[in-house]
Amino acid sequence: MKNDVISSEHLVLMITALVVGFFARLITIKEDYRQYPSYPNGYLIHLVTGFVAAAIGAVAIPAIMTKNFVAVTFLALAIQQFRDVRKAERDCLKDLENTEFTPRGDAYIDGIAKTFEARNYFALVVALVTGITIQFVSYMIQWVNILIGSLSGLAVLFILKRFSKGKTFGDMRMLN
């Protein structure tokens, strides 16, 4: 029987990428009185799917490095699952529409569902970039690898948040 033990370097890479990716999803949870999540089960759904997204991003690099291409195929499967979750989110919000004092409309609800899906991709991409950075930095001191990988993942999160931010009233100029 073959002994398939994960190396300590890959384990550190996966745990660091998972933590940074999950942190990315945690800080992108946005709540206000018009949006979801506003109940504990809503937070649970967001955090669990964010954890799964971060885990997929975290294991992708070690899977490729160990030539475990079967594990890499789960990345494509996960992306389809995130789309299915977005559809379920949209359907749930549409079902709640008749309980709202002021209807939000289909476009608004679809925007919320797309944002939900995109934030899961944030977790996946941040974890993936963190893992890639740790893999390629390869300093002899492990905490330096962790620090550089974490900082690169957080930098990617900042960039993603900055470019995915919608317009606000402050961004709009008054027409003469």
Side-chain angles (χ1 to χ4, degrees):
M1 183 173 163
K2 186 178 171 184
N3 189 6
D4 292 331
V5 178
I6 298 173
S7 71
S8 63
E9 293 85 18
H10 285 154
L11 191 59
V12 167
L13 182 151
M14 288 187 297
I15 291 171
T16 304
L18 175 66
V19 168
V20 175
F22 182 69
F23 178 74
R25 183 61 185 108
L26 184 66
I27 65 172
T28 57
I29 287 182
K30 183 177 180 183
E31 176 192 351
D32 66 27
Y33 65 93
R34 300 164 304 193
Q35 284 193 9
Y36 191 74
S38 57
Y39 300 102
N41 59 348
Y43 286 110
L44 182 63
I45 291 167
H46 283 251
L47 293 177
V48 167
T49 56
F51 182 85
V52 169
I56 291 167
V59 301
I61 298 305
I64 291 169
M65 298 305 293
T66 59
K67 297 181 178 16
N68 187 352
F69 299 113
V70 173
V72 176
T73 60
F74 284 109
L75 185 62
L77 180 63
I79 290 171
Q80 182 58 45
Q81 289 295 352
F82 291 148
R83 288 183 182 170
D84 291 344
V85 169
R86 179 183 80 188
K87 183 183 178 304
E89 180 86 6
R90 185 177 55 238
D91 293 345
C92 178
L93 290 170
K94 282 184 179 182
D95 289 344
L96 293 173
E97 190 70 0
N98 63 355
T99 65
E100 295 290 325
F101 183 69
T102 304
R104 295 176 284 197
D106 289 343
Y108 188 79
I109 288 172
D110 194 51
I112 293 172
K114 284 179 182 176
T115 301
F116 175 62
E117 181 184 18
R119 289 179 180 156
N120 287 324
Y121 292 134
F122 283 10
L124 190 147
V125 170
V126 166
L128 188 62
V129 168
T130 301
I132 289 170
T133 304
I134 291 172
Q135 182 66 39
F136 287 122
V137 169
S138 299
Y139 279 114
M140 298 302 279
I141 305 170
Q142 197 165 32
W143 68 266
V144 174
N145 296 340
I146 293 169
L147 181 65
I148 293 171
S150 299
L151 290 174
S152 69
L154 293 175
V156 166
L157 174 62
F158 175 76
I159 292 167
L160 290 172
K161 281 184 70 170
R162 178 112 169 108
F163 287 112
S164 67
K165 186 177 175 184
K167 297 286 183 191
T168 62
F169 283 112
D171 297 333
M172 298 177 193
R173 295 186 179 170
M174 299 290 285
L175 296 175
N176 292 335

